[in-house]
């Protein structure tokens, strides 16, 4: 307003000079144009990436009560299986975006839809029979249906062409697989799946099913997809509590991860070759975790075996509740609860997603993706 009043009082020559100087400053980057909106971000998967969808469902797979969220900015439980921020929150932070809202949140309307959405649901896996004990969870097929529904909502807001562009240019995170072992194959002795398949054959089967999911995601418009492998399943406090004598990782679950992860990378590379583009990016969650599991002190943790919140050996039995043992300083514990990393451990994981070498990210890290996509 003041600028408009000033422009009315100056001569034509001065006005021309003013415009030329302003254009020069703009060219030099001293006066910034309005920032472009951050790319949309979509999240699919299980409890490692759920931002609170299960809060809206009748299920036991929920993190909606204290002490979950004890270090979150609001100091309240949000449905994240963390003491604070989880991996999607930290990726949003890195790409300059707002955190994605859960798809089931009533707040996800209007312009907030353009930020993206989190479709993840704790307890799910690649297979529909994974997590059946949690009853009412959003299985991956339903998450993809919701993604299609989301696009219809956005089309009504900005039109189909702009919606397609938003989805094509978006970043997508997919985190699946761990529950297909922990909450399916190894859930109980002689489980239905373990009687149906020997472990190597089961891995081949779930990789083939995972491929179908990723092809469906591609058909729905996803063009940059971070796919995380499983972490060291046998090293989490819940498994140590059940299977470890002296703190060693559970052998069978480690074997499962060792079979699954290389085959996942091979499958992703094959898909990329077929598509003629680096659509799917493999994030080696196993190596990212093993760095601080095998040498916690080097990363500022006092332990990578005992959970901050829990009970029993390694605080690995049952759920994290108000009655659980609770550590006073979450930053020095690698695991928050019997299954999930602390916020600080999540930050280390996201740091490797952003800048990690080919040991962690294949064929490139997220910083490289952002740089490449900014040139398009």
């Amino acid at each position: 307003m003041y600028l408009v009043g000033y422009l009315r009082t100056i001569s034509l020559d001065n006005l021309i000079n003013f415009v030329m100087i302003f254009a020069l400053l703009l060219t030099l980057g001293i006066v910034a144009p309005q920032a472009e909106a951050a790319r949309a971000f979509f999240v699919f998967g299980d409890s490692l990436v759920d931002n609170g969808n299960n809060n809206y469902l009748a299920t036991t797979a929920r993190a909606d009560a204290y002490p979950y969220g004890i270090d979150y900015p609001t100091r309240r439980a949000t449905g994240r299986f963390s003491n604070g921020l989880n991996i999607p929150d930290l990726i949003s932070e890195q790409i300059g975006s707002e955190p994605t809202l859960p798809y089931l949140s009533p707040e996800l309307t209007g312009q907030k839809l353009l930020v993206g959405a989190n479709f993840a649901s704790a307890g799910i896996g690649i297979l529909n029979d994974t997590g059946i004990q949690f009853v009412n969870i959003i299985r991956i097929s339903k998450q993809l249906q919701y993604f299609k529904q989301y696009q219809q909502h956005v089309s009504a807001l900005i039109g189909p062409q702009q919606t397609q562009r938003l989805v094509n240019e978006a970043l997508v995170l997919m985190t699946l697989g761990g529950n297909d072992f922990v909450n399916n194959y190894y859930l109980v002795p002689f489980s239905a799946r373990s009687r149906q398949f020997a472990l190597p054959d089961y891995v081949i089967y779930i990789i083939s099913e995972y491929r179908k999911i990723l092809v469906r995601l591609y058909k729905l418009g996803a063009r940059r997809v971070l796919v995380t492998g499983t972490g060291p399943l046998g090293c989490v406090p819940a498994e140590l509590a059940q299977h470890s004598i002296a703190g060693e990782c559970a052998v069978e679950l480690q074997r499962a991860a060792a079979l699954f992860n290389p085959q996942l990378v091979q499958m992703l590379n094959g898909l990329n070759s077929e598509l003629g583009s680096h659509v799917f990016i493999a994030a080696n969650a196993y190596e990212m975790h093993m760095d601080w599991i095998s040498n916690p002190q080097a990363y500022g943790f006092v332990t990578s075996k005992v959970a901050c919140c829990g009970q029993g050996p390694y605080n690995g039995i049952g759920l994290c509740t108000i009655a659980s043992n609770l550590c006073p300083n979450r930053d020095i514990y690698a695991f928050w609860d019997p299954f999930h990393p602390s916020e600080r451990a999540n930050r280390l994981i996201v740091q490797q997603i952003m800048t990690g070498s080919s040991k962690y990210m294949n064929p490139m890290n997220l910083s490289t993706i952002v740089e490449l996509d900014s040139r398009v």
Side-chain angles (χ1 to χ4, degrees):
M1 212 169 148
Y2 296 113
L3 180 62
V4 172
Y6 170 69
L7 291 176
R8 284 180 186 147
T9 65
I10 61 176
S11 68
L12 183 59
D13 286 346
N14 286 338
L15 180 58
I16 291 167
N17 289 336
F18 178 90
V19 170
M20 288 174 68
I21 291 166
F22 186 84
L24 178 63
L25 292 174
L26 194 63
T27 304
L28 294 172
I30 296 166
V31 177
Q34 188 171 352
E36 236 182 273
R39 74 196 300 178
F41 183 32
F42 301 108
V43 182
F44 301 86
D46 57 28
S47 60
L48 290 165
V49 293
D50 184 353
N51 271 17
N53 280 308
N54 282 20
N55 285 4
Y56 302 95
L57 304 172
T59 178
T60 54
R62 291 166 71 146
D64 60 344
Y66 180 88
Y68 284 98
I70 189 171
D71 299 309
Y72 192 74
T74 60
R75 302 292 185 263
R76 292 183 178 179
T78 59
R80 292 162 172 82
F81 285 76
S82 172
N83 58 300
L85 302 178
N86 66 7
I87 288 169
D89 294 324
L90 298 167
I91 290 176
S92 292
E93 203 176 83
Q94 289 290 330
I95 65 172
S97 179
E98 295 173 40
T100 52
L101 286 169
Y103 185 66
L104 299 184
S105 169
E107 292 176 37
L108 188 64
T109 57
Q111 293 297 308
K112 288 184 179 178
L113 285 162
L114 306 184
V115 173
N118 186 314
F119 301 90
S121 177
I124 73 138
I126 295 163
L127 304 181
N128 279 334
D129 57 297
T130 291
I132 51 171
Q133 71 273 31
F134 302 124
V135 188
N136 192 18
I137 49 181
I138 313 168
R139 307 196 182 282
I140 191 61
S141 54
K142 185 69 173 176
Q143 290 184 28
L144 295 177
Q145 284 176 34
Y146 279 153
F147 186 37
K148 188 174 182 181
Q149 188 183 80
Y150 161 90
Q151 293 184 42
Q152 291 164 355
H153 293 323
V154 175
S155 286
L157 194 67
I158 62 173
Q161 279 188 313
Q162 283 297 99
T163 299
Q164 186 180 347
R165 184 181 170 191
L166 179 141
V167 170
N168 289 164
E169 293 179 357
L171 180 68
V172 180
L173 175 65
M174 176 72 80
T175 296
L176 286 176
N179 283 328
D180 293 286
F181 299 105
V182 173
N183 283 309
N184 192 329
Y185 194 86
Y186 291 110
L187 179 62
V188 291
F190 310 109
S191 68
R193 289 296 188 185
S194 68
R195 282 183 277 116
Q196 182 184 7
F197 293 105
L199 180 62
D201 296 328
Y202 180 66
V203 171
I204 291 167
Y205 173 61
I206 61 175
I207 290 289
S208 69
E209 291 301 300
Y210 204 171
R211 189 183 190 282
K212 294 173 190 174
I213 291 162
L214 295 175
V215 168
R216 175 79 179 130
L217 183 62
Y218 179 83
K219 287 179 178 175
L220 287 169
R223 294 296 180 268
R224 282 293 193 199
V225 186
L226 297 175
V227 182
T228 63
T230 71
L233 301 171
C235 302
V236 301
E239 299 306 330
L240 298 184
Q242 292 181 64
H243 304 294
S244 184
I245 296 164
E248 73 283 0
C249 299
V251 174
E252 267 300 291
L253 280 157
Q254 288 297 87
R255 181 171 163 244
L259 286 168
F260 178 83
N261 288 321
Q263 290 184 51
L264 175 64
V265 174
Q266 189 178 9
M267 181 265 282
L268 297 178
N269 288 340
L271 267 178
N272 286 339
S273 293
E274 284 179 33
L275 297 169
S277 177
H278 294 310
V279 174
F280 299 103
I281 312 296
N284 192 332
Y286 187 94
E287 291 295 344
M288 292 173 189
H289 282 73
M290 283 310 295
D291 283 347
W292 41 260
I293 283 175
S294 54
N295 191 0
Q297 285 74 25
Y299 294 86
F301 297 120
V302 293
T303 178
S304 60
K305 298 183 187 300
V306 181
C308 168
C309 182
Q311 44 278 314
Y314 306 101
N315 278 345
I317 303 293
L319 301 171
C320 169
T321 70
I322 195 165
S324 297
N325 301 318
L326 179 65
C327 68
N329 181 1
R330 275 70 63 184
D331 282 348
I332 58 174
Y333 280 73
F335 283 97
W336 156 244
D337 70 8
F339 288 103
H340 304 97
S342 62
E343 178 185 319
R344 186 153 169 278
N346 281 333
R347 285 189 179 278
L348 294 172
I349 292 166
V350 171
Q351 187 180 321
Q352 294 293 10
I353 289 173
M354 289 303 301
T355 61
S357 68
S358 57
K359 175 185 174 183
Y360 305 99
M361 298 295 295
N362 178 36
M364 65 189 105
N365 60 40
L366 185 49
S367 294
T368 305
I369 292 168
V370 170
E371 173 62 24
L372 284 174
D373 292 351
S374 70
R375 298 176 191 169
V376 177

